[in-house]
Amino acid sequence: EIVLTQSPGTLSLSPGERATLSCRASQSVSSNNLAWYQQKPGLAPRLLIFAASSRATAIPDRFSGSGSGTDFTLTISRLEPEDSAVYYCQQFGSSQYTFGQGTKVEIK
Amino acid sequence: QVQLVHSGAEVKKPGASVKVSCKASGYSFINYHIHWVRQAPGQGLEWMGMINPSDDNTNYARKFLGRVTMTRDTSTGTVYMELSSLTSEDTAVYFCARERPGAINFDYWGQGTLVTVSS
């Protein structure tokens, strides 16, 4: 099973700042098989990025994804207060899906 | 609009089974896979498995093999997830989510069903 490790655990930044979230895989992941989700308290996750770098429908362009192989990054270019949430990466490999443990983004 | 609507909260005793439903609407039911993902209180997301409503094929996470069963009813557009031999560690919110085959991402999610396992 491919293990995804996200860092940092928590990111505390001010509005307008740039957030960089990391997702590292225990073995190589196809870029087509890497997605990012945002989850706010009490709600279901929301798809942000698929195929490592493609934005899902209606996702603002301040969200971007990049990376390949074992290292992937979600960047929020200019934080807004509503970006306060937990962010998860997800991969598919060997017929199994796995999620990272999440990065919590706090807005000061 | 696409909707995935869950059945209501459940309280079960250890050792029992629970069956949660997810009713799909607003799209062609047989053209999208349905996945189940759970989230224990204060914890992250855990993939449990998926079902292909068009042919009833399933793919379960290795952790849940032998304990989970996913089924579907094409006449009502509903998918079911049954988990047996419950323990307190199965206390979680259980989400269903839709995936276009081969997309490798879940574009719509249900609101979730809270399952509490307690004696």
Side-chain angles (χ1 to χ4, degrees):
Chain A
E1 174 182 293
I2 297 176
V3 176
L4 298 178
T5 302
Q6 293 186 240
S7 61
T10 302
L11 206 47
S12 185
L13 295 167
S14 298
E17 288 193 300
R18 181 186 191 91
T20 303
L21 287 65
S22 172
C23 175
R24 183 159 290 177
S26 58
Q27 54 188 281
S28 186
V29 172
S30 167
S31 294
N32 287 335
N33 296 351
L34 196 288
W36 291 90
Y37 298 84
Q38 176 194 65
Q39 188 180 31
K40 297 183 179 181
L43 297 179
R46 172 193 180 196
L47 177 65
L48 292 177
I49 300 287
F50 64 94
S53 60
S54 297
R55 268 188 304 276
T57 303
I59 299 304
D61 61 7
R62 66 179 183 275
F63 291 92
S64 63
S66 64
S68 64
T70 59
D71 289 295
F72 297 88
T73 300
L74 175 69
T75 302
I76 311 172
S77 59
R78 299 170 306 278
L79 279 167
E80 303 274 351
E82 61 264 30
D83 298 334
S84 178
V86 179
Y87 293 82
Y88 295 94
C89 56
Q90 174 207 38
Q91 72 81 38
F92 173 74
S94 302
S95 299
Q96 303 280 290
Y97 289 79
T98 54
F99 289 91
Q101 83 279 18
T103 290
K104 184 176 184 178
V105 173
E106 297 177 340
I107 310 298
K108 293 178 183 174
Chain B
Q1 72 281 23
V2 174
Q3 285 192 303
L4 298 171
V5 178
H6 283 257
S7 49
E10 301 264 10
V11 179
K12 295 292 182 181
K13 293 197 180 303
S17 297
V18 68
K19 192 170 186 177
V20 178
S21 70
C22 167
K23 182 173 173 57
S25 62
Y27 71 95
S28 177
F29 177 66
I30 61 170
N31 286 346
Y32 289 80
H33 298 167
I34 293 291
H35 294 253
W36 289 88
V37 176
R38 76 177 186 179
Q39 186 169 40
Q43 303 302 307
L45 303 172
E46 182 174 35
W47 180 74
M48 300 180 68
M50 58 76 68
I51 184 166
N52 180 349
S54 69
D55 60 12
D56 208 26
N57 274 346
T58 54
N59 176 24
Y60 301 140
R62 295 185 190 102
K63 173 178 177 176
F64 297 101
L65 280 173
R67 210 160 68 91
V68 71
T69 304
M70 297 177 189
T71 55
R72 87 327 187 193
D73 181 344
T74 55
S75 68
T76 62
T78 303
V79 172
Y80 300 90
M81 187 283 299
E82 185 170 19
L83 189 63
S84 61
S85 304
L86 294 170
T87 72
S88 59
E89 295 189 353
D90 294 314
T91 293
V93 175
Y94 290 76
F95 295 101
C96 65
R98 185 187 85 158
E99 179 204 28
R100 179 172 55 82
I104 317 296
N105 62 77
F106 306 162
D107 61 353
Y108 282 90
W109 295 64
Q111 83 278 17
T113 294
L114 174 62
V115 174
T116 303
V117 183
S118 173
S119 55

